[in-house]
Amino acid sequence: MAIFHSLQDPEVVHLLNQGAVGVLPTDTVYGLVASAANHQAVAQLYRLKNREQKPGTTIAASTQQLIALGIDAATIQRVAHLWPNPISVVLPLPPEMEYLHMGLGSSPFRVVADTNVRALLEQTGPLVTSSANMPGGKPATNLAEAQGYFDNHIDFYVDAGDIGDRPPSTIVRLTLSGVLEVIRQGAVTINDKGEIAA
């Protein structure tokens, strides 16, 4: 189990591309992460979190990365105006992506604005992320708290100090009728028209 101090460390990219699961600072909180294209890595992330039917959020550097992952391009275009931002959008997924959506038929996605996280994602492709905690536990805001949850059961950590002052992402859902429904107001406020509030 390794500890790094920069998202730009080449070994972080290498580990993620080889199917490792680790903890790193996302654009919101510390997250447990794995390559979204690696079915086994995603399954391991969900096992570590003891999650059933509660998919993680997939973060990406661009909408093009999400389309390449297998998300419907027309669906992406309907929500692309919300990104890049700490806004997670729950999107419908095809049956062959059940490894991501855990049988629910949909899962949250986000194109990040944070330049350091985006630079990492440009090299790894989309990552599935879930807050660095156990169900019912407080999300980790620093390395020590993350290690308290996962110890040496994961492959690596990236230490970015205390990031407890970062607000959580806003979560919205694209309904079957094409309406954006706000699930949680967070870092960015969405108005009742499904637009970013001024």
Side-chain angles (χ1 to χ4, degrees):
M1 189 274 298
I3 297 177
F4 303 99
H5 297 278
S6 171
L7 290 175
Q8 310 315 317
D9 192 307
E11 189 63 18
V12 174
V13 175
H14 174 74
L15 285 167
L16 287 168
N17 287 339
Q18 294 299 309
V21 177
V23 164
L24 53 77
T26 70
D27 55 324
T28 53
V29 297
Y30 274 101
L32 187 67
V33 300
S35 170
N38 188 313
H39 295 217
Q40 291 180 319
V42 173
Q44 174 66 0
L45 182 150
Y46 287 153
R47 278 194 295 270
L48 285 162
K49 284 278 295 199
N50 296 319
R51 294 190 89 147
E52 292 183 10
Q53 295 205 314
K54 191 175 181 184
T57 299
T58 300
I59 57 175
S62 65
T63 55
Q64 288 76 19
Q65 282 192 340
L66 294 178
I67 293 168
L69 184 64
I71 315 304
D72 177 66
T75 300
I76 290 292
Q77 290 309 312
R78 296 172 85 166
V79 299
H81 66 283
L82 297 174
W83 296 324
N85 263 313
I87 301 173
S88 301
V89 184
V90 179
L91 299 175
L93 295 177
E96 59 268 23
M97 298 188 77
E98 184 173 355
Y99 77 98
L100 274 184
H101 64 65
M102 306 182 79
L104 295 182
S106 63
S107 181
F109 294 85
R110 184 165 76 243
V111 176
V112 304
D114 183 284
T115 54
N116 288 324
V117 179
R118 183 184 287 193
L120 173 69
L121 292 165
E122 286 171 349
Q123 300 176 77
T124 63
L127 297 175
V128 174
T129 180
S130 180
S131 57
N133 63 322
M134 289 300 177
K138 172 180 168 287
T141 59
N142 57 54
L143 185 70
E145 291 177 359
Q147 288 177 308
Y149 287 120
F150 301 110
D151 194 25
N152 62 352
H153 298 295
I154 63 174
D155 300 300
F156 71 91
Y157 294 86
V158 178
D159 186 3
D162 193 302
I163 58 173
D165 58 342
R166 295 184 186 180
S169 68
T170 296
I171 304 175
V172 300
R173 177 192 293 118
L174 183 65
T175 66
L176 293 176
S177 59
V179 175
L180 281 174
E181 175 185 44
V182 178
I183 299 173
R184 178 183 75 193
Q185 297 281 14
V188 178
T189 301
I190 304 294
N191 62 26
D192 55 9
K193 296 179 181 178
E195 300 168 344
I196 296 173

